[in-house]
Amino acid sequence: MNGILYLCATPIGNLEDITFRVVRTLKEVDLIAAEDTRHSIKLLNHFEIKTPMTSYHEFNKIEKAQYLVEQLKKGLNIACITDAGTPGISDPGEELVRQCIEADIQVTSLPGPAACITALTMSGLGTRRFCFEAFLPSDKKEKQHILEELKRETRTIVLYEAPHRLLKTLTELKETLGNRRVTVARELTKKHETVFATTLQEAISYYTEQEPKGECVVVVEGKSFEEIREEEIQSWEALTIEEHMQVYVEKGMSEKEAMKLVAKDRGISKRDVYKVVHC
Ligand code: SAM
């Protein structure tokens, strides 16, 4: 019988945020794969967990995941924990899960803290629809590509950032997306937790004066539908009514349907469109 991989969410700052189930599971499994064993030993000691640990991190994740899968195949139950939060969210947990799924090993996730959700819920921005971008890529071209994609994103955008790159990222976001609303959530669940709900421009001014400290999550307002609509109107207005009609006719619409849509797009009557087309 194969063992089971347990993804165990651990606190992102406040030790009281661990669940009873995670503590029990960490005590019961045969082995704990931890991102940084020196960091996690403090957590294990605090909860009197004596289970052996092995390191599983970004730089050994491929081979170490293979080793862990072999152990799971021998019937060992293994828990995966990372430095903070939910394994698999922007950390090496993802690779281990991928290899377990490929090897038909059962994976289960014990929910708990994740910095992205914690920040989103207190951001004051829309929570019904959101996208998670984790860290923006360090590669310049890749980053520009993602930023261009985010320009049209209507969902709330959640990003992770290190304090020493915060100002640069806020500046790049402002340059690409314009001056949107933003919430910078720092040191979540810790003593000096701060949630700064502001605009990109104000955040840039603030962090130019005040050196950013501590881990942070940046939550940015998505593009509003009004803004998209305005841009569409502007782009239609760059066309003549005949050219605008042609766009819809080329999509296979009848003249009548095209006229109706052109009138709607330009906020004019069908009669006005008809006059231009037929007079
Ligand atoms: N797996 C983790 C999770 O579930 O949130 C995320 C790991 S990722 C390597 C680390 C990033 O998460 C940090 O750079 C920061 O952006 C964010 N983060 C983690 N803990 C945080 C906290 N207490 N306050 C604010 N952001 C935090």
Side-chain angles (χ1 to χ4, degrees), residues 23-147:
V23 174
R24 179 177 54 75
T25 302
L26 292 176
K27 284 182 176 170
E28 286 176 1
V29 290
D30 301 294
L31 183 64
I32 299 172
E35 191 173 3
D36 180 347
T37 52
R38 281 170 308 174
H39 172 85
S40 293
I41 192 70
K42 293 175 207 148
L43 181 86
L44 299 201
N45 286 342
H46 184 86
F47 291 102
E48 296 174 1
I49 297 164
K50 308 238 174 338
T51 311
M53 265 196 293
T54 186
S55 73
Y56 169 72
H57 50 70
E58 191 55 36
F59 306 103
N60 72 358
K61 65 180 181 187
I62 308 279
E63 316 80 59
K64 197 57 182 273
Q66 284 163 3
Y67 166 80
L68 293 169
V69 166
E70 278 164 28
Q71 302 309 304
L72 285 155
K73 279 187 166 167
K74 286 181 190 161
L76 261 65
N77 288 319
I78 299 179
C80 174
I81 58 175
T82 49
D83 285 351
T86 301
I89 300 299
S90 201
D91 62 36
E94 180 185 339
E95 175 61 25
L96 181 56
V97 173
R98 192 186 64 74
Q99 290 199 27
C100 283
I101 299 288
E102 257 176 33
D104 243 343
I105 304 281
Q106 187 185 338
V107 178
T108 188
S109 186
L110 281 59
C116 49
I117 299 295
T118 310
L120 174 70
T121 54
M122 54 210 299
S123 67
L125 300 171
T127 56
R128 191 173 72 82
R129 297 170 64 249
F130 65 93
C131 68
F132 175 55
E133 271 298 330
F135 294 95
L136 286 174
S138 46
D139 179 84
K140 236 181 166 183
K141 264 195 175 167
E142 241 180 89
K143 190 199 293 187
Q144 203 45 47
H145 180 82
I146 304 262
L147 284 169

Side-chain angles (χ1 to χ4, degrees), residues 150-161:
L150 292 181
K151 226 174 172 175
R152 285 191 67 78
E153 180 56 70
T154 54
R155 294 171 294 179
T156 301
I157 305 159
V158 185
L159 299 154
Y160 281 166
E161 198 45 283

